[in-house]
Amino acid sequence: MRISVRVIPGSSRSDVEPGDPWRVHVHARPAEGKANEELLQILSRHFGVARSAVRILRGHASRSKTVEIGLEDTAMAEDTR
């Protein structure tokens, strides 16, 4: 599954707001890839997948990103079949 994400770095909270695009608040600042890494961790927890199943496709240096979430081997994927 691919989703569009708008990252809000330096936020006082870490959470996910579904929508188009999804809004994800992260504590980390956008330095040395820390905000991107926190984004991937937050999304992996939200979707119940391994961290390795979530990756940024576009927008590594931007607040607007395209993220791919591999749901093939998860319980969520089984529910949608």
Side-chain angles (χ1 to χ4, degrees), residues 36-51:
N36 283 344
E37 184 56 38
E38 186 176 343
L39 166 70
L40 297 177
Q41 290 174 357
I42 290 169
L43 289 176
S44 70
R45 275 194 312 260
H46 181 79
F47 286 101
V49 298
R51 161 55 191 89

Side-chain angles (χ1 to χ4, degrees), residues 50-69:
R51 161 55 191 89
S52 59
V54 182
R55 66 186 181 125
I56 298 171
L57 298 176
R58 288 188 206 109
H60 287 77
S62 171
R63 291 181 187 205
S64 297
K65 302 178 186 303
T66 301
V67 177
E68 182 175 60
I69 301 156

Side-chain angles (χ1 to χ4, degrees), residues 5-42:
V5 174
R6 179 75 176 169
V7 180
I8 296 89
S11 181
S12 62
R13 63 182 200 242
S14 291
D15 67 0
V16 178
E17 297 176 13
D20 189 26
W22 289 59
R23 292 172 50 95
V24 181
H25 296 111
V26 297
H27 289 291
R29 294 280 176 191
E32 300 173 9
K34 291 179 182 178
N36 283 344
E37 184 56 38
E38 186 176 343
L39 166 70
L40 297 177
Q41 290 174 357
I42 290 169

